[in-house]
Amino acid sequence: MQYLSTRGYKDKFSAAAAIEKGIAQDGGLFVPEYIPTFAKEELQGLILSSYEDRAVAVLKKYLTDYTEEELREAAKEAYKKNDLNNNVVGFSSEEPAPLVKLKSDKAVLKDLHILELFHGPTSAFKDMALQILPHLLTKALEKTGEKSDVVILVATSGDTGKAALEGFRDVERIKIIVFYPEEGVSDIQKLQMLTQEGNNVEVIAVRGNFDDAQNGVKEIFTSEDFNQELLTKGYKLSSANSINWGRLVPQIVYYFSAYLDLVKNKEIELGEKVNFSVPTGNFGNILALYYAKLMGLPVGKLICASNKNNILTDFLKTGVYDRNRHFYKTYSPSMDILISSNLERLLYQITKEDTSKVAELMESLKTEGKYAVEPEYLKKIQEDFFPSWADDEKTLEVIEEEFADSGYPLDPHTAVAFNAAKEYRKATADFAPLVVVSTASPYKFSDTVLNALDKNKYEELKTTSEFAILKALFAKIKMPVPFGLANLENQNILHKKVCNKEEMKEFVLQSLV
Ligand SMILES: *Cc1c(COP(=O)(O)O)cnc(C)c1O
């Protein structure tokens, strides 16, 4: 299978080359030239399989230039279990992506399941893809005969940076440099990054906000002189953010896995439709679900949940994508985003691969900050997607209410999706089995969750330390604290570099000697 650009660039590339490049020359995103499908018998054969087997089955349909053995090795390494005696930090659950049935008597919550994607080393769903991407990239370098080593540059607002560091640590031929806004991430997120071990990792604070860090990284990517200079030193740049195809395809796996688990647990018959609700930011996670549906997984509605930065849900309602609006900092910061890059891949599919149309819309987004799709396209999108958004107040209310009702503690991102699921059922009376995708451990956002569950305690502790809050939350929800978070307090700070936004290039060069 070959990959092409959503904006019509003339050449096609192998999966390995697409993963290595990250983004196409014309600024478009790599898409497969056709969507592979699963026959019912094939799904049948996977019902009793492990996550690893299911991953290989999905990956091999897209990454056809990798051998099955290579994919199996990658999946095995990526989804291994914690073994703390041997210093292996992997997944803390029996299966990498467990499905939990909600225990509630409320009619609106009947047949509702939670897909927990937060049991990886950094306690957020980014691990599901960033644990396997380094293996795919390393193999890609062998396949394409690339001589240079790779430098992964990341600008992060929190979760991606840590997950990428953990995934790429000590990987041969790859160096990773993460820039984060000095005052723009939570204390826990900052500590997670500053204590990162590994012989190829660099973490640098930027004096500025996330946009400064992100713009600096973009400028480095597009500077020809700088890339030339790196090449003479034996390095090429690549990206680990969610536009990379190598991050998207592993995310398709957990939708298949969740569905197969429902069949295995006798919650549904094979072939029965299931709805999914997904907390959405860059549109990567929900796009993977859309691909799963196109591949033949019996998916009903794709419920797209946003926070107060509701640019996506507005688009799904009106067909107008308009970024000329206020940017809010919310309790679900990983969804605080105004440019959902992966939407470009949906537009490519919806317009029946009309690359000049996609290029035109993206140009309009760049120059005017907005675009509008024709009513026929909007109608097609609305056949699959249902939009719903919640503000911070609602988010707290949902966390409190659901813990009181079922004893299940939701993180703020998951709470937004949980609310959307209820809104969907109320609006449509479609009570088909529904899976809410849970993207973070409640402990990763302890302050917000404690604020929702025990406001007095939170007020008492909020000026003390993140760890006091985490412990108070443990006393309340009594769920095991993920090792990576529990252990943070005892770890040494290993990274202390701070730079101005104009100095990012120099810091990259310094890191490479
Ligand atoms: C990244 C992230 C999201 C948003 O996922 P997208 O693929 O960007 O839509 C939601 N929740 C959490 C906790 C995240 O880290």
Side-chain angles (χ1 to χ4, degrees):
M1 178 184 292
Q2 299 278 96
Y3 288 80
L4 21 104
S5 165
T6 46
R7 299 188 195 174
Y9 186 74
K10 61 186 186 344
D11 295 334
K12 293 180 181 180
F13 298 88
S14 67
I19 289 171
E20 214 174 282
K21 288 176 193 300
I23 188 162
Q25 271 93 330
D26 58 358
L29 308 190
F30 285 115
V31 278
E33 57 184 346
Y34 64 91
I35 306 285
T37 53
F38 269 85
K40 195 169 176 185
E41 304 73 57
E42 255 177 304
L43 287 177
Q44 185 92 45
L46 288 168
I47 294 170
L48 298 176
S49 303
S50 66
Y51 192 83
E52 193 183 301
D53 288 337
R54 293 168 178 174
V56 173
V58 172
L59 292 176
K60 79 177 188 193
K61 300 225 181 215
Y62 283 106
L63 311 182
T64 52
D65 48 338
Y66 290 67
T67 66
E68 180 156 346
E69 201 182 0
E70 286 172 329
L71 295 174
R72 179 161 302 279
E73 207 180 290
K76 199 183 185 105
E77 273 300 304
Y79 302 116
K80 60 187 185 264
K81 274 196 69 180
N82 269 342
D83 179 2
L84 300 176
N85 293 330
N86 292 310
N87 215 6
V88 175
V89 184
F91 283 75
S92 59
S93 48
E94 274 309 312
E95 284 291 327
L99 192 66
V100 175
K101 185 166 188 179
L102 197 82
K103 295 188 190 74
S104 170
D105 297 327
K106 288 189 188 167
V108 70
L109 300 179
K110 191 173 164 297
D111 287 331
L112 194 136
H113 306 263
I114 304 208
L115 176 59
E116 297 185 341
L117 300 179
F118 55 77
H119 294 289
T122 76
S123 307
F125 96 102
K126 303 287 194 291
D127 289 328
M128 297 307 297
L130 281 165
Q131 281 294 301
I132 194 168
L133 178 65
H135 301 285
L136 300 176
L137 181 55
T138 304
K139 294 207 166 73
L141 295 179
E142 287 167 24
K143 286 178 189 301
T144 60
E146 178 59 58
K147 297 280 183 301
S148 306
D149 285 359
V150 168
V151 181
I152 301 280
L153 280 191
V154 181
T156 184
S157 58
D159 289 339
T160 302
K162 176 63 183 180
L165 287 163
E166 199 52 55
F168 281 102
R169 68 188 277 185
D170 298 325
V171 174
E172 271 177 48
R173 297 193 57 196
I174 297 178
K175 183 136 188 121
I176 170 161
I177 306 175
V178 170
F179 289 101
Y180 72 94
E182 196 178 17
E183 305 302 336
V185 301
S186 80
D187 289 350
I188 293 238
Q189 286 173 325
K190 191 186 281 192
L191 268 176
Q192 276 188 307
M193 291 191 278
L194 298 187
T195 55
Q196 178 67 45
E197 294 177 354
N199 60 26
N200 61 339
V201 305
E202 193 80 60
V203 180
I204 303 168
V206 179
R207 293 191 187 93
N209 59 26
F210 173 65
D211 280 340
D212 296 323
Q214 166 121 311
N215 289 337
V217 164
K218 276 194 185 148
E219 201 182 303
I220 293 174
F221 268 112
T222 50
S223 159
E224 256 175 54
D225 290 351
F226 189 74
N227 279 275
Q228 207 52 45
E229 192 176 347
L230 284 185
L231 212 50
T232 61
K233 293 178 189 293
Y235 291 105
K236 264 193 175 167
L237 295 177
S238 187
S239 135
N241 75 18
S242 74
I243 56 174
N244 193 316
W245 182 252
R247 257 191 74 176
L248 205 63
V249 71
Q251 297 187 351
I252 299 173
V253 176
Y254 49 72
Y255 290 110
F256 276 87
S257 187
Y259 187 91
L260 291 162
D261 279 347
L262 286 173
V263 180
K264 184 170 92 180
N265 299 344
K266 306 225 174 342
E267 295 287 342
I268 58 168
E269 298 283 340
L270 185 61
E272 205 178 311
K273 286 216 166 126
V274 174
N275 300 319
F276 286 85
S277 182
V278 186
T280 302
N282 211 14
F283 209 74
N285 201 354
I286 198 165
L287 182 75
L289 173 60
Y290 184 67
Y291 279 117
K293 180 167 184 175
L294 294 180
M295 291 168 74
L297 193 72
V299 174
K301 273 286 194 244
L302 295 80
I303 302 164
C304 177
S306 297
N307 64 26
K308 196 168 178 178
N309 294 297
N310 55 1
I311 185 164
L312 264 174
T313 48
D314 279 355
F315 170 70
L316 297 175
K317 275 181 200 136
T318 64
V320 179
Y321 194 92
D322 186 356
R323 66 161 299 190
N324 304 304
R325 59 173 73 206
H326 187 70
F327 174 84
Y328 298 98
K329 269 180 82 108
T330 74
Y331 289 152
S332 42
S334 303
M335 295 155 73
D336 290 346
I337 196 161
L338 289 184
I339 301 256
S340 300
S341 311
N342 270 303
L343 194 57
E344 183 168 346
R345 285 185 167 116
L346 177 69
L347 296 172
Y348 173 83
Q349 294 298 340
I350 291 291
T351 60
K352 291 216 166 29
E353 308 171 9
D354 184 347
T355 51
S356 37
K357 180 79 206 175
V358 176
E360 177 198 312
L361 295 176
M362 291 303 119
E363 184 58 25
S364 166
L365 180 62
K366 194 168 149 200
T367 53
E368 328 269 318
K370 67 188 230 180
Y371 60 80
V373 299
E374 284 73 7
E376 69 197 271
Y377 296 137
L378 179 62
K379 189 163 160 276
K380 254 167 85 180
I381 293 172
Q382 288 174 339
E383 282 166 18
D384 285 319
F385 290 88
F386 178 89
S388 174
W389 69 277
D391 62 11
D392 277 351
E393 206 177 12
K394 188 79 198 168
T395 304
L396 291 184
E397 191 186 304
V398 171
I399 296 172
E400 184 190 10
E401 198 180 305
E402 292 321 315
F403 187 70
D405 178 48
S406 66
Y408 193 92
L410 298 162
D411 108 279
H413 304 77
T414 312
V416 170
F418 198 96
N419 186 61
K422 286 201 291 190
E423 293 294 320
Y424 172 74
R425 283 182 157 182
K426 282 184 205 154
T428 62
D430 171 5
F431 281 83
L434 196 156
V435 174
V436 174
V437 176
S438 177
T439 49
S441 158
Y443 287 113
K444 195 153 189 182
F445 300 93
S446 291
D447 42 3
T448 300
V449 181
L450 187 66
N451 187 12
L453 298 184
D454 190 342
K455 191 162 177 50
N456 291 337
K457 196 78 192 165
Y458 172 71
E459 289 299 332
E460 179 192 325
L461 294 176
K462 72 178 182 191
T463 53
T464 61
S465 86
E466 288 277 335
F467 296 105
I469 292 176
L470 196 139
K471 283 168 194 159
L473 183 60
F474 174 72
K476 187 92 200 161
I477 65 178
K478 307 230 168 51
M479 191 175 106
V481 180
F483 172 79
L485 299 181
N487 198 35
L488 264 186
E489 211 174 352
N490 312 316
Q491 300 224 297
N492 296 323
I493 301 285
L494 302 173
H495 305 276
K496 291 183 179 153
K497 289 186 185 168
V498 185
C499 75
N500 293 322
K501 56 187 177 184
E502 302 78 19
E503 298 172 317
M504 289 169 65
K505 279 183 187 160
E506 285 156 52
F507 274 69
V508 170
L509 288 178
Q510 281 170 23
S511 309
L512 298 179
V513 290

